[in-house]
Amino acid sequence: MAKEFKITSLRLADLEKELNYLKTTREREVAAMIAEARSYGDLSENSEYDAAKNEQAKLYGRIAEIEDILSHAVIIEDENEASGRVGLGCTVIVEDEQGNRKEYRITGSQDKAAGETFTVNAPAGSFSMKVVQVSREG
């Protein structure tokens, strides 16, 4: 089975913009950090050089990740637009058990509607949230 990433056209544009930034501006910034660290002399005990090289590795890792996503992207249109259900491309407002609200943009498939609750499994533990509102941009 071929690998594919289902994303909205808006997410595709965001990834293309991020990739352009990483390959131009950010790559120049990291190269400058490495050059400056090299100017400090002995690289074997140069923590600035190590940090700059680690930043470069993260940068190239993110570039490769985005390029992989873009090369396997399948554009998903807003099929849930009129249904009021959560789907790709939605902006969703959720509420936790204490009444705190947060807004999220959905970039992966979900099937939730306003009024439904769900459990979030996070590194800090599990907690419940409630979908308050579902909307579409555009």
Side-chain angles (χ1 to χ4, degrees):
M1 181 161 70
K3 175 169 52 169
E4 60 182 39
F5 296 95
K6 295 180 180 179
I7 60 175
T8 63
S9 55
L10 180 61
R11 180 67 178 140
L12 178 72
D14 288 345
L15 287 171
E16 289 171 339
K17 183 178 175 182
E18 180 183 357
L19 182 62
N20 182 54
Y21 166 76
L22 294 176
K23 285 184 153 187
T24 57
T25 305
R26 187 65 186 142
E27 195 167 34
R28 284 192 299 272
E29 292 170 351
V30 172
M33 289 169 53
I34 291 170
E36 182 179 345
R38 277 190 178 148
S39 72
Y40 297 149
D42 183 13
L43 299 181
S44 64
E45 295 182 16
N46 188 331
S47 63
E48 289 87 0
Y49 179 77
D50 291 340
K53 290 301 279 186
N54 285 338
E55 188 63 29
Q56 183 183 47
K58 288 193 295 188
L59 170 68
Y60 289 150
R62 180 64 180 151
I63 288 172
E65 179 183 18
I66 293 172
E67 287 176 336
D68 186 47
I69 292 168
L70 293 177
S71 68
H72 296 96
V74 175
I75 304 303
I76 302 297
E77 296 306 322
D78 294 335
E79 71 276 359
N80 296 325
E81 185 169 352
S83 70
R85 307 224 18 113
V86 175
L88 289 171
C90 288
T91 299
V92 180
I93 298 173
V94 296
E95 183 176 281
D96 66 16
E97 294 168 334
Q98 289 76 39
N100 300 312
R101 291 185 176 198
K102 289 202 175 209
E103 182 174 301
Y104 295 96
R105 176 105 175 125
I106 304 301
T107 58
S109 296
Q110 297 287 329
D111 189 26
K112 296 275 180 282
E116 291 185 52
T117 60
F118 59 96
T119 300
V120 177
N121 297 312
S126 297
F127 54 93
S128 294
M129 300 289 286
K130 177 177 142 184
V131 178
V132 176
Q133 179 182 341
V134 179
S135 62
R136 296 268 175 208
E137 292 181 11

